Amino acid sequence: MNLEQARQTFVIEAHDLLKRMEEYLLALETAPDDKDTLDALFRSVHTIKGSAGIFDFEPIVAFAHVVEGVLGDIRNGKMSVDYDLAALLLSCGDHIGALVDCVADRGADPSVELLTQGGALLDQLQTYINPVQKSSEPKVGGLPAHHLAKTSTGGARKVTSDNWHISLRFGPNVLRDGMDPLSFLRYLETLGEIISVTTLFDSMPDAAKMDPESCYLGMEMDFKSDADKETIANVFEFVRTDSKIRILPPHSLISEYIDLIGTLPEDGSRLGELLVNSGALTPEELAEGLRIQQDPSAAPYQEESPRHALIGQILVEEGMLQREIVDGAVDKQKQNRQKNLREHKFVHVQADKLDTLINLVGELVIASAGASLLAQRAGDATLREAMATVSQMVGEIRGGALQLRMVPIDEVFSRFRRVARDLSHELNKEIDLVIDGAETELDKTVIERIGDPLTHLVRNAMDHGIEPADRRKAAGKPEKGTVRLNAFHDSGSIVIEVSDDGAGLDRGKILEKALERGLVAPDQTLSDQEIYNLIFEPGFSTAENVTSLSGRGVGMDVVRRNVEALRGTAEIESREGRGMTVRIRLPLTLAMIDGFLMSIGGASYVVPLDTVVECVELDDKIAASGRDYVNLHGEVLPLLRLREQFREQGQAGRRENVVVVRYAGRKAGLVVDKLLGEFQTVIRPLGKVFGNLKGISGSTILGGGEVALILDVPMLIQKAVNAETQTAAG
C-alpha cells in the first residue's frame, strides 16, 4: 500500500467533509431542528475521526471525539444550535482543518500555538457538555435495559459481565483495501478499555495455499466503555461490509452468547472455553446455556423475538410507532442508498494529471489539424474523408476533456456563507447573502483564481455598500441588507455579479477624489461608467475611516488585476441610494476554444467563435471612404480595421470582409481580408515579454505549423466604441 497516497486521500476527503460541516452548521442556525442536517453533520465529524483513527492521527481523533460528543447531545435534544454554539463549532472545524494540514505536511506535529488553541476550544466545549452523569444502567441497542426486561416473557437469564463483548472476523480483502486490523484496536481504546483480546488464526490455510495479501484473522474481545452500541459499531465502519461483526452489550442474554458460539466458524467447545477464560461468561452460565440449547423445554422462559421486532414492540407500547412514520423512514433509507450509489460514482483525480491530459489533447488537436491539411493537399478523396472522421472524433475528445475541468461555481460561492455570517456579526449589521446560479460551471483553473477578487467584492459590499440599520430605516429600506451573488453564461463567457441594496456609489465624491489625486483633468468630460471605474485605480478609496476590512484602496485594484489576468473584464453599475453591482466577465476556459480563423495579408488571427455574430462583405464605397462605421440592419456598427490596428504590410485582399463580434451586449465589426472558417484553437500564453500587448490575448498553432494570434475581443470592441464616441462628439 502506498501510505503517502493514502495520506493525501485522507487529507482531500477530510477537507471536503469539513466544508460540508460548515454548510450544515450554517443551515442549522436557521433550522436547528432539521434532523437530516444534524445527522449529516454528526456523520461528517465521525467519519473524519474514524479515518484519522485508522492512520493513528491521535490529535485529530482526540479533538474530534469531544466535538462528536457535543453533536451527539444536540442530536439527542439536550441542546440546540444557537449563534454562539455554531460559532464555536465552526472554530472547531477550522481547528480540525489545521490539524489535517499538519497531516498533509507529511505528518508534522502540531505547533504549540495550535495545541494551545485546541485546548481553549475544548475548554469552551466542556461548558456545553451535560454535567449530569450518564445513567449507569446498561443499554441494549440504545434502549434502557428495563425496557427489554419489561418485554420478556418469564424473565430471561442474563450474564453478569459488565463489559461489552465484540466478536470480529475480518474479511479476506481487508489488507488489500489498505486497512490495518491493529488500527481498529487503537481507535477502540479511545472509547474505553480493552479488558481482553484473543486473536484467532483458525481460518489460515497451509503455507502453500496461503495468500500473503489476504486476511485470515479473527478476534474475540471484552471491552469496557460507557459508549453506546452505535458508537462502538461505527469504529468498524470501514470494514463492516466484508467482515462479520457481532457486538453484545453488558448483561446480554445467555442465549445470545450461545447463539454467537453456534454461528462462528471455529470449534464450539473451544469458543466456549475462550469466553469463560475472558470473563464474558461464567462456567455456570455456559453450562446453563448449552443445556437449554439441547433441551428447550427446560428453559424457564420462551426465547425472545428478534431484536428489531423487540424494539418495535417497545415503541408500540410507548405509543411512538405509527405506520406513516415507518413508511417515511423506509422511503428515506431508499433515497439515502440511491444517493450513496451516486456519490460512489465520483473519482478523485489529481489536478496535475488532468492538466497533463488537457495538454496532450491540445497536441492531438494540433496534430489532427496538420494531418487534415496534408490530406487536402494530397487531393485523395478517401484520405480526406478518413481525416474528417478523425477530426470529428478529436473534437469530441477535446470537448469531453474540457468538460472534466468544469466544476460548479458553488465551490467558490459556498465559502461566502461563512464570510457573510462572520462579517455581519463583526460589523453589527443584519445582512442576508443570496446566491443564484451556483450550478453554473466554470473551468477549475478559473475557479481557483477568482476566489480572492470575489472576497474583496463581498467584503466591500458588506462594509461600504450596506448602510447601518438606522440609516436604512430612515431611507425607507428594510433594516436587513442583502448582498447577492449571481452567475450565468452569456456569449461564451461566464458573468459573475456581486450586488447589494446599499447606498450605491457617490459619483460626485469619486470625481472629487480623482481630481484631488490627479487621475482626471479638471476640464475632462467623463461618463458615469468611466467615473465609477476610477475606483479600480491603485490606492483609490473614498472611505473616511480605515478599518480592518477596507479603506486602504487596495481591494478593488486587486480585483481588476486578477480579472484581467484571466482575460476578463469588470464593470460597475450603480444607482445612488439604491445599490451597486460589480459585473465580472470571464472566459469559460483557459485551455481550448472553438475559434473563427481569418487573415490580414500574410498573418492569421483567431477570435472565439461564441463572440461571432455574423460575417458580411464590406461595401467598396465604404472601404474606399475609410469610414469607421457602417449601417448594419438599421444599427450603427463601429468598425475596427485590423490592418491598421496591427500595422500589417502584406498585400490587401480584393474584397474586404467584416466579422461582427459581440461582447457584453456591445457589437463591433473587425475588418479583415479573408474568412477561413471555424478552427479548434489551443490557447498558448504569449509570455511575460508580451504581457502588456493590447488587443492580443494569446496564440495558437495552425495545422501547417504557423502561429496565429488570438484577439482580445472585449478590448477591441471597447476601442472601436470609444473611437466612434469620439467621432460623434467631434
Side-chain angles (χ1 to χ4, degrees):
M1 177 182 178
N2 188 333
L3 292 179
E4 182 60 30
Q5 183 177 356
R7 185 200 306 273
Q8 293 303 319
T9 300
F10 164 74
V11 171
I12 293 171
E13 293 182 349
H15 279 303
D16 184 52
L17 289 167
L18 288 171
K19 179 183 175 183
R20 297 184 199 174
M21 174 185 173
E22 182 175 295
E23 294 173 355
Y24 297 146
L25 283 169
L26 295 176
L28 285 173
E29 278 193 288
T30 56
D33 298 327
D34 189 334
K35 186 178 183 305
D36 289 342
T37 303
L38 278 171
D39 292 342
L41 174 61
F42 183 87
R43 285 195 301 270
S44 296
V45 177
H46 177 76
T47 304
I48 293 174
K49 186 184 81 168
S51 301
I54 291 175
F55 289 97
D56 200 21
F57 299 142
E58 184 58 32
I60 298 177
V61 174
F63 187 85
H65 180 67
V66 179
V67 176
E68 188 182 46
V70 174
L71 294 177
D73 287 344
I74 296 174
R75 292 174 76 196
N76 295 331
K78 296 180 180 179
M79 66 182 80
S80 60
V81 179
D82 56 14
Y83 179 87
D84 293 332
L85 180 55
L88 176 58
L89 291 173
L90 286 169
S91 298
C92 290
D94 294 340
H95 182 71
I96 295 175
L99 293 174
V100 171
D101 289 338
C102 293
V103 174
D105 190 17
R106 297 186 177 274
D109 293 330
S111 64
V112 176
E113 292 80 8
L114 190 58
L115 292 175
T116 303
Q117 179 191 28
L121 291 172
L122 289 177
D123 291 340
Q124 296 180 60
L125 287 173
Q126 289 298 329
T127 63
Y128 285 93
I129 296 177
N130 192 349
V132 179
Q133 293 293 328
K134 295 181 179 179
S135 172
S136 59
E137 180 184 19
K139 293 184 177 182
V140 180
L143 295 172
H146 76 270
H147 278 303
L148 296 178
K150 182 174 67 173
T151 62
S152 63
T153 57
R157 177 74 187 279
K158 300 178 180 180
V159 301
T160 58
S161 174
D162 294 327
N163 301 323
W164 295 79
H165 185 79
I166 303 174
S167 179
L168 177 62
R169 299 297 183 272
F170 287 106
N173 294 320
V174 165
L175 298 178
R176 293 189 186 92
D177 294 339
M179 301 298 168
D180 178 7
L182 291 179
S183 65
F184 296 98
L185 300 186
R186 289 194 291 266
Y187 185 15
L188 199 61
E189 287 181 325
T190 65
L191 302 178
E193 178 185 359
I194 297 178
I195 303 300
S196 67
V197 58
T198 301
T199 305
L200 302 173
F201 305 95
D202 299 55
S203 299
M204 184 173 292
D206 297 335
K209 298 180 180 179
M210 187 178 68
D211 182 355
E213 294 185 351
S214 294
C215 183
Y216 305 100
L217 298 180
M219 293 182 181
E220 296 289 328
M221 66 185 80
D222 289 319
F223 180 58
K224 187 173 185 178
S225 174
D226 293 331
D228 58 22
K229 185 174 181 179
E230 181 183 5
T231 302
I232 297 174
N234 285 335
V235 171
F236 307 100
E237 182 175 357
F238 295 99
V239 294
R240 183 178 298 170
T241 303
D242 299 326
S243 303
K244 296 179 180 179
I245 306 168
R246 186 84 176 268
I247 302 173
L248 299 180
H251 305 292
S252 290
L253 300 174
I254 296 176
S255 60
E256 291 183 299
Y257 278 90
I258 301 303
D259 179 63
L260 173 65
I261 293 174
T263 58
L264 292 175
E266 292 82 10
D267 179 72
S269 60
R270 177 166 172 261
L271 288 172
E273 182 182 353
L274 187 157
L275 293 175
V276 171
N277 292 337
S278 69
L281 292 171
T282 65
E284 293 78 11
E285 290 168 343
L286 177 61
E288 179 182 348
L290 293 174
R291 178 175 57 84
I292 293 173
Q293 184 187 46
Q294 296 172 357
D295 183 11
S297 63
Y301 59 89
Q302 297 178 359
E303 285 294 328
E304 290 185 296
S305 57
R307 177 61 50 84
H308 62 273
L310 184 60
I311 294 175
Q313 181 180 347
I314 295 169
L315 295 175
V316 170
E317 291 178 1
E318 299 293 339
M320 295 183 291
L321 187 62
Q322 299 178 17
R323 175 55 51 190
E324 293 80 2
I325 296 177
V326 174
D327 293 341
V330 171
D331 292 341
K332 186 66 176 178
Q333 289 175 352
K334 290 180 179 178
Q335 293 173 8
N336 288 338
R337 283 195 295 269
Q338 292 173 355
K339 179 181 179 182
N340 290 335
L341 288 174
R342 289 195 299 269
E343 289 177 349
H344 291 161
K345 293 181 180 178
F346 290 96
V347 178
H348 288 289
V349 179
Q350 293 181 356
D352 56 347
K353 292 183 178 180
L354 197 56
D355 291 339
T356 300
L357 173 64
I358 297 297
N359 291 335
L360 290 174
V361 172
E363 296 297 332
L364 180 61
V365 169
I366 294 173
S368 174
S372 297
L373 181 61
L374 292 176
Q376 290 178 1
R377 291 175 180 174
D380 189 326
T382 304
L383 180 60
R384 286 202 304 268
E385 183 178 351
M387 281 310 307
T389 303
V390 171
S391 298
Q392 180 182 355
M393 296 179 67
V394 168
E396 293 177 0
I397 293 173
R398 185 201 63 135
L402 288 179
Q403 195 62 34
L404 293 176
R405 289 170 55 126
M406 304 298 282
V407 295
I409 200 171
D410 185 53
E411 187 173 308
V412 175
F413 279 4
S414 60
R415 76 176 67 168
F416 293 112
R417 294 186 178 94
R418 173 80 177 274
V419 172
R421 175 192 182 276
D422 294 343
L423 278 182
S424 59
H425 180 70
E426 181 179 345
L427 296 170
N428 195 27
K429 297 178 181 179
E430 287 190 67
I431 302 174
D432 271 342
L433 178 67
V434 179
I435 293 178
D436 295 319
E439 71 284 353
T440 306
E441 292 188 335
L442 185 61
D443 191 296
K444 185 170 179 60
T445 304
V446 181
I447 288 279
E448 292 170 349
R449 296 167 62 181
I450 198 60
D452 285 344
L454 290 181
T455 299
H456 284 296
L457 293 177
V458 171
R459 291 164 67 95
N460 190 71
M462 298 183 71
D463 190 17
H464 285 314
I466 302 296
E467 316 96 320
D470 54 346
R471 286 175 52 189
R472 292 181 62 86
K473 187 175 181 180
K477 296 181 179 181
E479 293 186 15
K480 178 179 287 189
T482 301
V483 174
R484 186 180 300 274
L485 285 171
N486 185 29
F488 57 91
H489 289 151
D490 179 46
S491 299
S493 303
I494 184 171
V495 180
I496 304 173
E497 295 178 336
V498 181
S499 58
D500 63 74
D501 64 347
L505 294 177
D506 188 333
R507 183 182 186 280
K509 195 171 185 179
I510 294 174
L511 187 56
E512 179 184 349
K513 193 76 173 181
L515 289 169
E516 179 184 322
R517 295 193 53 198
L519 296 176
V520 298
D523 57 348
Q524 189 173 352
T525 302
L526 299 175
S527 65
D528 289 348
Q529 184 64 52
E530 291 172 326
I531 292 176
Y532 294 150
N533 285 340
L534 290 172
I535 68 173
F536 289 118
E537 293 297 323
F540 191 93
S541 176
T542 58
E544 298 177 358
N545 299 314
V546 176
T547 68
S548 60
L549 298 178
S550 58
R552 294 179 175 84
V554 295
M556 299 302 284
D557 176 39
V558 169
V559 170
R560 183 171 66 177
R561 283 190 285 108
N562 287 356
V563 169
E564 289 179 350
L566 292 170
R567 305 201 318 271
T569 60
E571 59 185 32
I572 296 174
E573 180 182 312
S574 177
R575 291 184 297 166
E576 192 169 344
R578 304 300 299 171
M580 161 183 162
T581 298
V582 179
R583 189 171 293 108
I584 297 174
R585 290 180 178 270
L586 297 168
L588 286 178
T589 179
L590 303 178
M592 288 176 276
I593 59 172
D594 285 322
F596 186 82
L597 185 63
M598 51 200 181
S599 68
I600 309 163
S604 299
Y605 296 91
V606 176
V607 293
L609 185 62
D610 289 328
T611 64
V612 177
V613 178
E614 61 179 313
C615 298
V616 296
E617 194 174 79
L618 188 63
D619 185 85
D620 291 338
K621 294 181 179 179
I622 297 177
S625 67
R627 208 167 63 197
D628 292 333
Y629 63 92
V630 65
N631 184 337
L632 183 67
H633 309 314
E635 296 181 357
V636 176
L637 179 74
L639 299 178
L640 189 65
R641 300 177 185 276
L642 296 187
R643 175 177 293 277
E644 299 174 3
Q645 172 71 25
F646 298 118
R647 301 176 184 175
E648 282 292 344
Q649 302 298 323
Q651 184 176 0
R654 186 177 62 84
R655 297 292 297 269
E656 291 182 306
N657 298 276
V658 177
V659 179
V660 182
V661 291
R662 177 177 57 197
Y663 187 85
R666 294 182 293 186
K667 294 181 181 179
L670 306 180
V671 181
V672 299
D673 291 343
K674 295 180 181 179
L675 306 177
L676 303 178
E678 297 181 20
F679 177 72
Q680 293 183 12
T681 305
V682 180
I683 302 174
R684 305 292 191 191
L686 288 173
K688 295 182 179 180
V689 176
F690 304 100
N692 295 322
L693 189 62
K694 300 298 182 181
I696 304 296
S697 60
S699 63
T700 189
I701 307 297
L702 302 180
E706 304 91 346
V707 175
L709 298 178
I710 302 173
L711 300 182
D712 185 352
V713 172
M715 197 285 293
L716 294 176
I717 289 180
Q718 184 63 49
K719 184 169 184 177
V721 171
N722 290 343
E724 177 62 22
T725 302
Q726 293 175 1
T727 301

